Amino acid sequence: MEDRLIYFDNNDTTPLLDPVVTAMLPFFTKAFGNPASLHQLGLEAEEAVNEARATISGLIGAKPEELIFTGSATEANNLAILGAAANASSKRRHLITSKIEHNAVINPIKRLEKDGFRVTWLDVDPEGFVNSEDLKKAITPETFLVSIVHGNHEIGTVQDIKALGMICREAGVLFHTDAAQSFSKVPLNVTNDLVDLASFNAHKLHGPKGIGALYVRGGVHLKKIMEGAPQEFNMRPGTENVPGIIGFAAAAKLAFETLSRDSAHMSAVRDHLIEQLLQIPHTRLNGPRGNRRLPTNADITFKYIEGEAILMHLSMRGVAVSSGSACSSKNLTPSNVLTSIGLKHEDAHGSIRFSFSKLNTIEETDIAAKKVIEVVELLRSMTAFVPEKHSETEGSGEVFYKKKKEEL
Ligand SMILES: *Cc1c(COP(=O)(O)O)cnc(C)c1O
């Protein structure tokens, strides 16, 4: 049992559940039809897609015709942002976002910035929350879109989406939220929460990779970003990923059936691990506590050592985690999320994200915590940067750290 992998990287992706695989299988084999075909096989595929669309839209308080299937949450974000920009009048060339977005929002917005759009990048507070007053003040008559991530992928901050939505609705500005991480973990009702556009995917909730969706509120117009045949209400060309869509709906349905029980369980797993890890000297929790944090996420800074090294040593011991966000872990720029909540570069580099699914257990956190302690002690024994005393004296620790660095 020592050899079983402890998978604490569920904010990156999750394993498929058996019933999801079972639901998908016939659509790879017998029911392989193209939903655009007019014969029986095609009609069956079309019907299955329609049913999946009704299932998923129902879970977020939307109408089926308001849901466009895409290849990923990344594509949904691109369609929302680039599609809204392409449709905006020439007088509305301003958009607002936050400094803690996922690359799948940052980079389409950076492209618009290069193309001459003006962008306001809102600061967040030390727990990662966007301030509603800041948002209100940033909106001008030129603003056409606000895009704020619902549940943060690195530090788990869950924004008060309705408060932000209300400000946008009152100002007549489109409001988009990237809900890839929060979907089926915390409640979201696009109608009540006054959201105009929302991005989702399946692989963060035990569904397949390569399938996502964009909610587009009825009456909101986007310009499509790819040209082709008129699939997905003429908004997203390309033959539908039928097995993916079926798997997405099956996974979402399963997740919502036990949402409150699973959320409580994952929160307990999360908090149990946080409690144990914060007993290690020179650590800090990034992001808020309690129900303003995703139940799936714990992000901890281990000062004076490298996150990458912790990750590799944990991997060798059968624990899978992530250092910062997976997408930024392959380069040396520290995570935009961690620096935006005030972490110094070296502390951002010493941060590890533990992320959970309903399949994880309290027992796993006990085993993992022991291994983390072992690894942190090992790595710190090899560095000269750790202050002697193990009381968390930030000030003297930092002076020690800097001094040692200068000596080298
Ligand atoms: C995972 C993730 C994405 C990207 O989703 P893909 O479907 O893999 O493209 C976008 N935004 C957030 C917040 C995510 O966590």
Side-chain angles (χ1 to χ4, degrees), residues 195-241:
V195 171
D196 298 305
L197 300 158
S199 305
F200 306 95
N201 66 20
H203 76 93
K204 306 277 170 78
L205 49 129
H206 305 289
K209 294 166 184 60
I211 184 71
L214 180 67
Y215 159 73
V216 183
R217 186 168 65 85
V220 169
H221 295 288
L222 302 176
K223 201 161 179 179
K224 60 185 167 181
I225 57 175
M226 280 195 292
E227 297 296 335
Q231 284 96 349
E232 294 301 300
F233 313 109
N234 201 15
M235 284 304 297
R236 201 276 187 175
T239 300
E240 292 89 344
N241 174 358

Side-chain angles (χ1 to χ4, degrees), residues 11 72-75 77 102 104 149 151 153 178 180-181 201 203-204:
N11 285 172
S72 58
T74 298
E75 188 193 330
N77 286 338
H102 190 278
V149 60
H153 48 291
D178 177 349
Q181 212 54 259
N201 66 20
H203 76 93
K204 306 277 170 78

Side-chain angles (χ1 to χ4, degrees), residues 347-386:
D347 290 343
H349 279 305
S351 302
I352 290 287
R353 182 185 69 184
F354 303 86
S355 55
F356 317 103
S357 82
K358 63 179 174 185
L359 304 176
N360 291 124
T361 63
I362 296 278
E363 290 69 43
E364 284 180 317
T365 67
D366 290 334
I367 299 169
K370 280 202 193 85
K371 297 190 174 183
V372 174
I373 290 166
E374 188 185 307
V375 165
V376 169
E377 278 178 359
L378 172 73
L379 293 172
R380 282 186 179 163
S381 74
M382 303 192 298
T383 170
F385 298 153
V386 189

Side-chain angles (χ1 to χ4, degrees), residues 231-393:
Q231 284 96 349
E232 294 301 300
F233 313 109
N234 201 15
M235 284 304 297
R236 201 276 187 175
T239 300
E240 292 89 344
N241 174 358
V242 180
I245 290 169
I246 303 309
F248 190 178
K253 197 162 167 235
L254 272 176
F256 274 76
E257 272 168 11
T258 51
L259 190 151
S260 52
R261 175 156 42 93
D262 294 339
S263 286
H265 170 71
M266 289 187 286
S267 300
V269 166
R270 173 196 70 188
D271 293 343
H272 192 68
L273 186 68
I274 290 175
E275 286 324 311
Q276 296 185 78
L277 296 185
L278 288 186
Q279 285 173 22
I280 302 173
H282 313 299
T283 50
R284 65 164 266 165
L285 173 70
N286 301 311
R289 284 177 180 269
N291 58 13
R292 297 194 310 159
R293 177 178 203 108
L294 287 174
T296 59
N297 175 290
D299 191 87
I300 309 267
T301 297
F302 301 92
K303 288 168 84 106
Y304 313 115
I305 45 180
E306 284 287 325
E308 304 279 291
I310 304 174
L311 182 155
M312 297 319 266
H313 279 272
L314 284 177
S315 176
M316 289 188 284
R317 287 163 177 76
V319 182
V321 298
S322 160
S323 59
S325 117
C327 317
S328 62
S329 65
K330 287 204 178 80
N331 63 48
L332 285 172
T333 10
S335 134
N336 64 303
V337 177
L338 295 176
T339 52
S340 297
I341 59 166
L343 263 67
K344 295 192 208 66
H345 284 202
E346 59 265 31
D347 290 343
H349 279 305
S351 302
I352 290 287
R353 182 185 69 184
F354 303 86
S355 55
F356 317 103
S357 82
K358 63 179 174 185
L359 304 176
N360 291 124
T361 63
I362 296 278
E363 290 69 43
E364 284 180 317
T365 67
D366 290 334
I367 299 169
K370 280 202 193 85
K371 297 190 174 183
V372 174
I373 290 166
E374 188 185 307
V375 165
V376 169
E377 278 178 359
L378 172 73
L379 293 172
R380 282 186 179 163
S381 74
M382 303 192 298
T383 170
F385 298 153
V386 189
E388 298 294 333
K389 275 181 292 180
H390 274 184
S391 60
E392 180 56 294
T393 43

Side-chain angles (χ1 to χ4, degrees), residues 66-81:
E66 294 176 317
L67 201 75
I68 297 167
F69 286 115
T70 63
S72 58
T74 298
E75 188 193 330
N77 286 338
N78 274 267
L79 179 56
I81 293 162

